[in-house]
Every structure is written in C-alpha cells, then in structure tokens.
C-alpha cells in the first residue's frame, strides 16, 4: 500500500516527530511512504530514510496554489490513500483534493483549540476518518463532526529508550550552570501564551522563600521569550531561570530534572509529558485537553485547574519537600508510558484504519 503523507511542521518535535515514528513503522511493515513537507523543514532529512520526500512551500489557509500542487503529486505518484497530519491550510485543502481524485483520506488533529463550526464541518466532511491524538481532542471535534463514526482516537507516542539513556549528572550541571544542591524544575514547551509559563513565574517568589535552591529551565523557543524574560527580571528572579532554547538533544537531559511543570491553558496531549514520564520524572500539569490521559493525578504527578496558581504552588511544594514521592511518581510514569504509549501500538492502529479504507 502506498500512503501519501502531508506534514507542515518545520521543526522535528511534536506532530512532526509522530509522523517520523509512523513513517519508520510503516516502512518496516512493507508500506510505501511519500511525504510532502515544507522546504527546508527538519523532518525532511530524516524522513528520506523511510519515505520519498517532496519539499514544497506552504502559504497557509488561503494558499489557493496548494491544491493544484497537491493534485499534481497525486497524479504522478498514484497513492492508495492520503494522510494529512497538519493544519496550516493543508487540512482544509487535502480532503477536497483527495475527494476529487476518488482517494480515501484521513486527517489527524493534534490541537484542542475550537474551530469555526461551519468551516470545520465543511473541511472534515471530505475526510473518511478524522483521528484525534487524545480523547480530549476527540471531545472538541465531536461538536463539529456530524458523523461520529468518522472520529477515532489514536494517541501520540514516543520511543522511551532514548529518554532512559541520560547524560551524567556532572555533564548536566555543567551544561546548564547548576550545582549539586539545586532542585531543578523543567518546562518543556514553546514559549507561547497558551503554554502558561507565566503561572510558574508568578509563584516563584513564594517557592524560593521555601526552597532557595530551586532553579527553573525553560526548554523551547517562541514569541513570548522577551516578555517572559522581562517578567522574571521585574521580579528579581533572573538568577533562578535558565532559557535553554529548543534542544534537539532533549532526551539526554529530561531524566535529570527533578520535576516537570506544564501549566498550559490548552493542550492536545503533551508529548513533553510523555517524554518526562518515560524518563521517570514527576509532573505537575493543568487538567486540560488530553493531559489527564498521560498525567494520572496522584500516581505519576499532580493535576491542577487551568490558571490555578495556588494549586500549582501547593502541588509543587509537596513534590519539592518529598524526594521519595518524586521517585515513586517517576517509576509509575515509566510504567504508564510502556503500557499505553508505545510506537508499535500507534503504527498498528493506523494500519488497521488504512486497511478499512483500502481494500
């Protein structure tokens, strides 16, 4: 079976990483992959091992040239099925072009923000299946998709092995300018509004009163960086925060964090939380979107309400005070990932879906 995939992400994390896992797994099972991706995207150089790659420009929702370019590739490659993995306009046009070519199609939805209902109904009408990466996203989609039988949940996953092969403690301390006495909190997310970094910043003065040896590392980049730096400076907390940027070697460092915090306002699932659990790190996160599907309250971490700074403060204090609880939550998280978030399961579920559409 030949599958044509579209992934519009430029960086190799989140959704793009999921696509790479899927391409590799499909190739092992004898499938032929074709991938359409933005020019110069990070996924392109890795995907060539598992797929034929077309790098083209993406201009967003109103890119009226995209359907013509997609149609040209479909005519040339004659795939058996189209699988759209992204938004940025490709989900709007992909299903329509597939329908015009009498080609079965699937759209994977990775974010839980609401869409304009009439546009969403129109867009998803053309797809045979819409796959949500969490039950939280599925619930959002159920409001705009009339035929509920078209909705499926196939969770995002990771390969846990790299997250259990960390660098040495000494290298970690040297890399980020830390000391042996520091307790390290990590936030692994784009520096954008909806990820909620501000909530952690706001409670840090009180945290530091109790634990002056706490340090926070922000892994990620984004439009909010300057604003977050200013918030931290205005509170006189610059020495407690480290901006590490986007790290392609994140798997080497996560397991050396003491706690991962993710106070997001919305989140499809949270790949960084699966990574943290795989590495045996306890989590404090907002109970939004698909997060409760990976963070089990009181088992591998704590859940708080969206925007609840008091809750974030109290749960962080519990973990900061109790190293044995951090270790217990970490071990539980590793078990959850191994059982519920394996690459093999994700690939198998997609193959089952493909086989329903391609006889």
């Amino acid at each position: 079976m030949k599958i044509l995939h579209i992934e519009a992400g430029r960086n190799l994390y989140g959704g793009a990483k999921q696509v790479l896992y899927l391409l590799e797994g499909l190739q092992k099972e004898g499938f032929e992959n074709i991938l359409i991706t933005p020019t110069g995207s990070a996924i392109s150089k890795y995907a060539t091992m598992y797929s034929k790659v077309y790098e083209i420009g993406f201009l967003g929702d109103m890119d009226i040239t995209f359907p013509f370019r997609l149609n040209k590739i479909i005519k040339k490659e004659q795939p058996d099925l189209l699988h759209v993995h992204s938004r940025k306009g490709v989900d709007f046009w992909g299903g329509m072009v597939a329908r015009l070519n009498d080609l079965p199609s699937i759209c994977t939805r990775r974010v839980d923000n609401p869409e304009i209902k009439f546009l969403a109904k129109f867009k998803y009408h053309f797809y045979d299946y819409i796959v949500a990466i969490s039950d939280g996203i599925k619930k959002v989609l159920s409001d705009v998709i009339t035929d509920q039988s078209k909705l499926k949940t196939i969770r995002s996953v990771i390969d846990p092995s790299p997250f259990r092969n960390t660098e040495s403690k000494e290298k970690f301390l040297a890399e980020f300018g830390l000391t042996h006495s520091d307790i390290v909190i990590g936030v692994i997310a784009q520096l954008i509004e909806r990820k909620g970094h501000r909530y952690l910043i706001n409670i840090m003065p009180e945290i530091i009163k109790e634990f002056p040896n706490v340090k926070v590392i922000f892994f990620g980049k984004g439009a909010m960086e300057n604003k977050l730096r200013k918030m931290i400076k205005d509170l006189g907390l610059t020495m407690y925060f480290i901006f590490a940027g986007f790290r392609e070697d994140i798997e080497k460092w996560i397991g050396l964090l003491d706690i991962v915090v993710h106070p997001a306002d919305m989140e499809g699932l949270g790949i960084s939380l699966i990574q943290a659990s795989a590495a045996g790190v306890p989590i404090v996160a907002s109970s939004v979107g698909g997060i409760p599907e990976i963070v089990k309250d009181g088992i591998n971490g704590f859940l708080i309400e969206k925007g609840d700074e008091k809750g974030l403060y109290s749960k962080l204090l519990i973990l900061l005070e109790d190293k044995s609880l951090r270790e217990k939550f970490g071990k539980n998280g590793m078990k959850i990932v191994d059982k519920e978030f394996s690459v093999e399961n994700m690939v198998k579920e997609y193959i089952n879906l493909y086989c329903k559409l391609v006889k």
Side-chain angles (χ1 to χ4, degrees), residues 296-307:
K296 315 293 186 181
D297 191 42
I299 298 175
N300 65 322
F302 289 121
L303 293 172
I304 60 170
E305 294 300 314
K306 179 176 72 173

Side-chain angles (χ1 to χ4, degrees), residues 225-238:
E225 180 170 345
N226 289 337
K227 185 175 181 180
L228 295 175
R229 285 183 181 274
K230 186 177 186 304
M231 287 180 66
I232 292 165
K233 183 178 180 182
D234 289 347
L235 289 169
L237 301 178
T238 301

Side-chain angles (χ1 to χ4, degrees), residues 61 96 170:
D61 289 352
M96 283 187 277
E170 294 301 324

Side-chain angles (χ1 to χ4, degrees), residues 49-86:
M49 295 186 286
Y50 317 115
S51 173
K52 182 175 182 179
V53 176
Y54 286 90
E55 292 189 71
I56 66 175
F58 292 111
L59 303 178
D61 289 352
M62 294 298 106
D63 182 2
I64 60 173
T65 69
F66 178 74
F68 296 98
R69 290 179 288 154
L70 174 58
N71 189 65
K72 185 177 180 180
I73 294 172
I74 289 173
K75 296 294 186 186
K76 178 181 178 181
E77 295 291 344
Q78 294 293 304
D80 296 299
L81 183 144
L82 174 69
H83 188 165
V84 177
H85 297 269
S86 299

Side-chain angles (χ1 to χ4, degrees), residues 81-118:
L81 183 144
L82 174 69
H83 188 165
V84 177
H85 297 269
S86 299
R87 300 185 69 188
K88 299 186 179 180
V90 299
D91 60 341
F92 184 82
W93 297 112
M96 283 187 277
V97 175
R99 181 67 63 88
L100 289 171
N101 284 276
D102 197 26
L103 185 66
S105 61
I106 294 171
C107 181
T108 293
R109 172 73 184 256
R110 301 189 180 280
V111 293
D112 67 342
N113 52 300
E115 297 185 73
I116 299 172
K117 283 192 176 182
F118 80 91

